Amino acid sequence: MAQVKFFGEAVPLEMHKVRIVQKLNLLPIDQRHKALSVAGNNTFLLQNADVFLDMLTDSGVNAMSDQQLAAMMVADDAYAGSATYTRLDAKLREIFGTDYFLPAHQGRACEHILAKVLVTPGSVVAMNYHFTTTKAHITLQGGVIEELVADVGLEVNSTLPFKGDIDVAKLEAVIKKYGADKIAFVRVESGTNLIGGQPVSLQNMTELRKVCSHYGIPYVLDASLLADNLYFNKTREDSCKNLSIREITRKVADLFDVIYFSARKLGCARGGGICIRDKELYLKMRGLVPLYEGFLTYGGMSVREMEAMVVGLDETMDEDMISQGPLFIAAMVNDLDRRGIPVITPPGGLGCHLDAKRFVDHLPQSQYPAGALAAALYLVSGIRGMERGTLSEQREPDGREVFANMELVRLALPRRVFTLSQVKYAVDRIAWLHENRKLIGGLEFIEEPAILRFFYGLLKPVSDWQDKLVAKFRADFGDSL
Ligand code: F0G
């Protein structure tokens, strides 16, 4: 990787240049207020045209490279036997060293197929931490999940480099409790999404492999956020310091029986897939692909996206590419942390995560503090973040709220999309909001869907707090945006 030392202030340095741009729109605050209320205070429901910096997610919105766009032009359009599929299959074998590949239209489609084949009523999936769609597919099949991230993973602030690691003793205890034959699989989520994009060490993945082998339990990697994880393995783990990203990838991949991913994240395109070693398991899953996804050589993906994935996966092996997310995230997290604004530390992948439990510590979890903070941030900045807290949980079957371990507002930094000045604007507005945090009030549901409610549930403020926040913004900034 390019090692650049600065004479003065060190900044994250782009290792690319911008050749295509998209104009942004920053609405005045009264129009943002209206847009927020039309969206039911749910940032998923905002129109992108009303958003200034879209930090909702990196999913499907990472910047693509010139090489990816060029490759899309030579995609081989065929229902069956597309040469593009053959190239993708070969690239995954080359990178992961796995034997079989099944395409799917995105990550949750892989989870659907995995759950259908491996999860039975009453079986258990042990994992570092759930992702929303993963949990939904497992529970839909009657399975239960056990979250075994080491306790430090749930501490907001830490200096530990791998907060996504599973506590091996907890895994042993879960296997004893249920019996090994009840464990459908052990799942490692690289770059653990809901606890702040925190990585998993190669050492931990290796220890878990031993446990899985001992008990004969399938070992599954969710590689959606693997790119960031690889960067952290390389930069934070001694045993990886002298290895190339390609070598680290192979060391990781060699440990797992199944590797699945959202290619909306890994490979900076749109799609997904499952890489498998065992032929019998492959054949079981294969039957479901034409049923739910599409024929075996496209699995619901456009061939152009598949062609972009081939290049994107190769570019993921380039440290100058995968460093960009973590470096910008670290700049943002460290700046906020220096100002005393509560954020998840150490900086992880995916984005910067505001700790709403402390930011708005006057709000009870029943009023969705992270949702309220995400709404307030859009109001004062036009920045769209994502609630990752109680709103993103699903209620117990008896209707009780499940209060999330963490109340986070995720400000994703899709790779190579935002500039440092845009990050500084975000920090400036968050700092203003922090000064005025006592004005932020809670939210309540107007319409609450039963499944994945955070996607399209409608909420309203519990009082007139948003009017007061707008008035304070006006008092401080006048008519400016
Ligand atoms: N696993 C992880 C770790 C993810 O972060 C995601 C998606 C999925 C699986 C599902 O993949 O979206 O392609 O179906 N995360 C997105 C996000 C939605 O915004 O973090 P998908």
Side-chain angles (χ1 to χ4, degrees), residues 405-456:
N405 292 317
M406 288 181 161
E407 295 286 351
L408 306 179
V409 175
R410 179 178 88 186
L411 300 169
L413 292 188
R415 281 171 214 92
R416 306 186 290 191
V417 169
F418 296 121
T419 62
L420 192 58
S421 50
Q422 289 169 329
V423 167
K424 281 180 182 284
Y425 166 81
V427 169
D428 184 76
R429 282 294 182 269
I430 294 165
W432 181 87
L433 191 58
H434 190 247
E435 285 277 317
N436 293 284
R437 60 190 178 279
K438 294 293 180 216
L439 291 174
I440 302 172
L443 296 177
E444 61 189 335
F445 269 107
I446 313 171
E447 243 182 73
E448 182 178 350
I451 298 177
L452 299 177
R453 61 183 182 174
F454 58 91
F455 276 136
Y456 46 95

Side-chain angles (χ1 to χ4, degrees), residues 100-102 276 278-286:
Y100 303 102
F101 170 60
L102 289 171
I276 310 142
D278 180 63
K279 188 166 184 188
E280 215 176 302
L281 185 58
Y282 161 72
L283 291 176
K284 277 191 201 156
M285 291 191 201
R286 190 178 70 174

Side-chain angles (χ1 to χ4, degrees), residues 206-268:
T206 308
E207 284 164 16
L208 297 167
R209 166 78 265 174
K210 288 183 196 141
V211 179
C212 289
S213 296
H214 179 75
Y215 292 102
I217 300 170
Y219 190 31
V220 176
L221 176 69
D222 180 341
S224 306
L225 292 167
L226 183 65
D228 293 336
N229 207 98
L230 290 168
Y231 175 78
F232 292 124
N233 292 128
K234 168 88 182 171
T235 53
R236 294 182 182 177
E237 198 164 0
D238 277 346
S239 68
C240 296
K241 269 208 171 85
N242 298 320
L243 300 177
S244 67
I245 296 297
R246 208 172 270 276
E247 287 165 337
I248 302 170
T249 306
R250 200 48 181 272
K251 276 194 183 291
V252 168
D254 282 351
L255 297 168
F256 290 90
D257 300 309
V258 174
I259 301 170
Y260 77 89
F261 57 96
S262 167
R264 300 177 65 82
K265 295 178 186 285
L266 186 69
C268 301

Side-chain angles (χ1 to χ4, degrees), residues 75-112:
D76 181 27
D77 237 328
Y79 187 93
S82 156
T84 295
Y85 173 81
T86 310
R87 282 192 279 275
L88 179 56
D89 184 48
K91 184 54 68 186
L92 286 159
R93 280 170 204 266
E94 174 202 312
I95 289 178
F96 290 144
T98 40
D99 299 313
Y100 303 102
F101 170 60
L102 289 171
H105 77 274
Q106 63 183 97
R108 69 201 68 185
C110 306
E111 291 170 337
H112 177 212

Side-chain angles (χ1 to χ4, degrees), residues 75-148:
D76 181 27
D77 237 328
Y79 187 93
S82 156
T84 295
Y85 173 81
T86 310
R87 282 192 279 275
L88 179 56
D89 184 48
K91 184 54 68 186
L92 286 159
R93 280 170 204 266
E94 174 202 312
I95 289 178
F96 290 144
T98 40
D99 299 313
Y100 303 102
F101 170 60
L102 289 171
H105 77 274
Q106 63 183 97
R108 69 201 68 185
C110 306
E111 291 170 337
H112 177 212
I113 291 167
L114 268 171
K116 277 246 176 227
V117 169
L118 292 175
V119 177
T120 49
S123 69
V124 177
V125 180
M127 57 182 73
N128 40 358
Y129 207 73
H130 78 279
F131 182 69
T132 50
T133 55
T134 328
K135 182 173 174 179
H137 279 297
I138 291 166
T139 51
L140 216 57
Q141 293 304 315
V144 290
I145 63 157
E146 285 281 357
E147 292 175 324
L148 309 176

